[in-house]
Amino acid sequence: MNSPMLPADQERILAAIDVGTNSIHMVVTRIQPLLPAFTVIARDKTTVRLGDRCKQTGRLTPEAMQRAIVALKRCQDIAKSLNAEQIIAVATSAVREAPNGQEFLQQVEDELGLWVNLISGTEEARRIYLGVLSGMNFNNQPHIMIDIGGGSTELILGDGHEPRTLSSTKVGAVRLSSELITTDPISNTEFHYLQSYIRGMWERPIDEVRSQLKPDERPRMVGTSGTIETLAILHSRDKFGTVPAPLNGYQFSLKDLREWVNRLRKLSYADRLLIPGMSDRRAEIILAGALILQEAMTLLGADSIAICERSLREGVIVDWMLAHGLIEDRLRYQSSVRQRSVLKTAQKYQVNLDHSQRVAEFALSLFDQTQGILHNWSGEERELLWAAAILHNCGHHVGHSSHHKHSYYLIRHAELLGYNEIEIETIANLARYHRKNNPKKRHESYRNLTSKKHRKIVEQLSSFLRLAVALDRRQIGAIRSIKCQYLPDVQELRLLIDSSQPMDDCALELWSLDYKKGSFETEHGIKLVPVLRSSLTS
């Protein structure tokens, strides 16, 4: 499926397949080289159980290989229908360890013309790291990533630069379930043996991680893979009655995980199947997977874990982009994951970026000049304001009428990488309130902000965004710069405005400021007085 060389700025369609122990997963992505970024446009997953190998010989069974070939043919067909120029396939633990693993890969190549790259556990860990980097912002802080597969678990320590440790350990949810669990529900003897076995297997890789941490570092823990995502869904359903969307950034504690392990160990397979959201195959292996995670978190001293939905498949895409010169280095890719994601969304909805960037500059200028005077928000909130300013008008893609409401829904359902659910909700609400009504409890969008802190962010910072939009009312860059002058004695904020053209009286911008300043004045308990300086000095 290789195509001729395309121009460097042309979008590319690429597919990545992960031939795992339990399932075959595929993502099809659209790569935008100029950003650089990629969007997942299709996913496919088939449970093939390659890990159900012959007990006597360890060989892949003919039945499992046939299931895998059927699934890979389906992946090929989907990729072809979406005009993918290339399919990159990798095989991991089950194929790596089977005596006939290479024979299976040869069979795939002979029957499908698809070359599957067999990768080592360390290489698998490296690509998982790249995948996580494409979906989370590390802020140069150390993170420990854990990916629990069917046959192995990868543990990675990194801070957005080169990984400090990459390890792959032969503890996997399928492997342990088939080799060490024979009772249903699991007996106390088997449970304690399983726990001790996992602890013993974790000793070396966790010692390696600890040796690479500085004494004062408290790394954040990040989990990928179906097992950990399932645990997050079970936790969220149990605690809140809903499944978070996106799952990216969702957190649960070690304490809650322990409670789930204790619940699962008392249930039979039939009982586990009755849990909402539990598939047949996941019900078989969830206890072993949960125990692998519990022991890792316990030994690492991690109180909680956050979900990242990107992993090996996305890492394969990032690796391809690096190899093809579309990303200069990992750090450049990582450091701007949020910004690129926002700009990609703006591009998708045909936002007037010149106007949006001016609005963002005004909003951030107001934010910076009044910090410590009218508000005490920090860089994190500033970044949310920037994102909302860039995307505030994306609702025009749907229609002009009530476009602020359309903006809310488009942002809420966009794939904004690097942000967790509450941050995406905050950005969407800030954009929603750049015009018309102020935030009200009867508004569904505002009620979706379950955190008081984030409601306050929206209440205060949406008023900055309203003023910023007014300052570029004609969308021609009529105003060059603004300066805030605070007069505490009379509770007044003078907004000194410099126009771009000396003869421009900026009448429409001043009218719009006067029209929109009410929410700013009410929210901050201050009078806003705009002063056009150019007209005073000309």
Side-chain angles (χ1 to χ4, degrees):
M1 289 186 67
N2 292 319
S3 65
M5 287 295 289
L6 294 171
D9 60 349
Q10 189 166 326
E11 289 189 347
R12 323 278 289 265
I13 306 291
L14 197 70
I17 300 173
D18 164 16
V19 181
T21 300
N22 193 41
S23 309
I24 289 178
H25 291 262
M26 178 180 71
V27 292
V28 183
T29 61
R30 177 180 289 111
I31 296 172
Q32 292 154 292
L34 293 179
L35 284 173
F38 67 87
T39 305
V40 176
I41 57 174
R43 295 180 187 273
D44 191 70
K45 175 191 172 185
T46 309
T47 301
V48 296
R49 307 184 186 190
L50 269 176
D52 287 353
R53 295 183 287 162
C54 174
K55 298 278 188 194
Q56 287 75 37
T57 63
R59 292 171 65 86
L60 301 173
T61 66
E63 297 79 14
M65 290 192 290
Q66 190 54 42
R67 288 195 297 268
I69 287 171
V70 170
L72 288 168
K73 177 69 169 69
R74 173 183 159 80
C75 287
Q76 274 187 314
D77 291 343
I78 293 169
K80 188 176 181 181
S81 73
L82 293 167
N83 300 314
E85 66 173 277
Q86 193 175 343
I87 297 174
I88 306 163
V90 296
T92 58
S93 175
V95 180
R96 201 160 55 222
E97 293 175 29
N100 62 337
Q102 291 287 359
E103 293 170 33
F104 164 65
L105 297 184
Q106 188 61 56
Q107 188 180 341
V108 171
E109 191 172 353
D110 292 345
E111 289 188 30
L112 303 180
L114 177 66
W115 185 67
V116 181
N117 181 10
L118 185 61
I119 58 174
S120 69
T122 307
E123 176 62 9
E124 184 179 352
R126 184 187 74 83
R127 296 199 198 190
I128 289 166
Y129 182 51
L130 290 178
V132 174
L133 286 185
S134 76
M136 290 190 92
N137 199 336
F138 278 25
N139 294 317
N140 295 321
Q141 296 303 307
H143 285 62
I144 297 170
M145 289 138 276
I146 183 168
D147 184 294
I148 300 173
S152 65
T153 295
E154 281 61 52
L155 201 64
I156 305 131
L157 172 64
D159 52 18
H161 303 260
E162 288 297 311
R164 297 190 205 174
T165 69
L166 296 168
S167 73
S168 181
T169 306
K170 290 182 181 180
V171 287
V174 173
R175 185 197 298 269
L176 298 189
S177 298
S178 62
E179 291 179 2
L180 300 180
I181 301 176
T182 62
T183 50
D184 184 36
I186 191 169
S187 69
N188 284 338
T189 304
E190 276 196 351
F191 178 82
H192 292 303
Y193 179 81
L194 179 63
Q195 191 171 29
S196 299
Y197 179 85
I198 292 167
R199 279 185 188 165
M201 293 295 285
W202 270 138
E203 199 169 290
R204 185 194 57 77
I206 285 177
D207 281 349
E208 190 184 345
V209 167
R210 284 200 191 113
S211 73
Q212 295 300 317
L213 282 169
K214 295 166 190 168
D216 58 338
E217 285 184 328
R218 296 288 298 165
R220 185 186 183 203
M221 197 147 181
V222 175
T224 69
S225 77
T227 291
I228 300 177
E229 286 182 8
T230 299
L231 289 167
I233 289 166
L234 296 180
H235 176 267
S236 181
R237 272 219 174 100
D238 194 41
K239 288 270 181 183
F240 310 111
T242 59
V243 176
L247 209 52
N248 219 48
Y250 184 82
Q251 295 190 54
F252 57 89
S253 69
L254 175 58
K255 179 176 176 288
D256 288 339
L257 175 60
R258 282 204 177 108
E259 287 174 10
W260 265 105
V261 168
N262 285 327
R263 283 167 71 173
L264 291 168
R265 66 180 285 199
K266 293 168 188 170
L267 300 176
S268 66
Y269 170 68
D271 292 330
R272 292 196 296 273
L273 271 180
L274 298 175
I275 300 172
M278 187 79 75
S279 67
D280 294 17
R281 185 54 166 164
R282 191 66 64 192
E284 290 178 28
I285 64 175
I286 189 68
L287 176 60
L291 198 54
I292 292 168
L293 180 60
Q294 176 186 290
E295 294 311 304
M297 289 178 71
T298 301
L299 292 168
L300 288 163
D303 296 324
S304 66
I305 188 163
I307 304 299
C308 179
E309 291 180 290
R310 289 195 164 184
S311 186
L312 176 60
R313 296 168 293 287
E314 291 80 7
V316 167
I317 301 292
V318 176
D319 197 51
W320 186 91
M321 291 172 74
L322 284 164
H324 288 75
L326 299 180
I327 309 168
E328 287 169 16
D329 55 49
R330 293 162 186 76
L331 180 59
R332 176 185 161 210
Y333 190 86
Q334 162 57 11
S335 63
S336 56
V337 60
R338 289 184 166 201
Q339 293 92 322
R340 278 198 337 278
S341 186
V342 168
L343 292 172
K344 183 181 71 168
T345 302
Q347 187 181 68
K348 178 180 180 180
Y349 295 121
Q350 299 171 311
V351 163
N352 177 346
L353 261 182
D354 289 340
H355 166 59
S356 281
Q357 284 171 335
R358 284 192 295 269
V359 169
E361 284 171 20
F362 288 138
L364 298 185
S365 181
L366 288 165
F367 181 98
D368 294 341
Q369 292 185 61
T370 59
Q371 194 173 31
I373 299 169
L374 300 184
H375 70 90
N376 291 300
W377 300 116
S378 65
E380 288 178 24
E381 293 77 31
R382 188 183 191 271
E383 192 172 26
L384 301 181
L385 177 61
W386 172 82
I390 294 293
L391 297 174
H392 76 279
N393 258 352
C394 68
H396 278 298
H397 188 74
V398 177
H400 176 73
S401 178
S402 298
H403 71 267
H404 55 299
K405 293 180 183 177
H406 300 319
S407 291
Y408 169 80
Y409 288 108
L410 291 180
I411 294 167
R412 189 65 192 84
H413 298 289
E415 193 185 47
L416 290 182
L417 299 176
Y419 297 99
N420 60 34
E421 187 177 10
I422 194 72
E423 289 169 333
I424 294 171
E425 191 71 62
T426 303
I427 293 165
N429 269 278
L430 283 168
R432 187 249 188 268
Y433 292 113
H434 82 268
R435 66 191 288 265
K436 298 290 187 181
N437 287 327
N438 293 323
K440 289 182 172 62
K441 286 183 181 176
R442 62 181 168 84
H443 296 155
E444 184 187 354
S445 60
Y446 185 66
R447 287 201 307 274
N448 287 340
L449 285 165
T450 50
S451 143
K452 285 183 181 176
K453 173 191 169 182
H454 289 87
R455 283 188 177 186
K456 197 68 185 167
I457 292 169
V458 169
E459 288 162 10
Q460 292 197 344
L461 300 190
S462 62
S463 66
F464 286 77
L465 186 53
R466 285 171 184 250
L467 295 183
V469 171
L471 286 163
D472 198 41
R473 180 66 177 80
R474 285 176 285 168
Q475 302 190 17
I476 61 168
I479 291 173
R480 187 173 74 247
S481 63
I482 54 171
K483 184 177 180 182
C484 296
Q485 198 174 69
Y486 178 53
L487 306 173
D489 295 346
V490 288
Q491 282 296 287
E492 185 176 293
L493 188 74
R494 299 186 86 196
L495 192 61
L496 308 179
I497 298 168
D498 290 321
S499 63
S500 298
Q501 301 295 328
M503 302 306 291
D504 189 349
D505 64 3
C506 298
L508 196 55
E509 283 73 22
L510 291 171
W511 172 85
S512 189
L513 271 175
D514 193 56
Y515 181 70
K516 291 198 169 194
K517 69 181 184 180
S519 61
F520 181 87
E521 291 178 332
T522 303
E523 185 57 47
H524 300 284
I526 197 166
K527 185 172 174 58
L528 183 75
V529 181
V531 179
L532 185 64
R533 293 204 291 192
S534 301
S535 63
L536 294 177
T537 55
S538 59

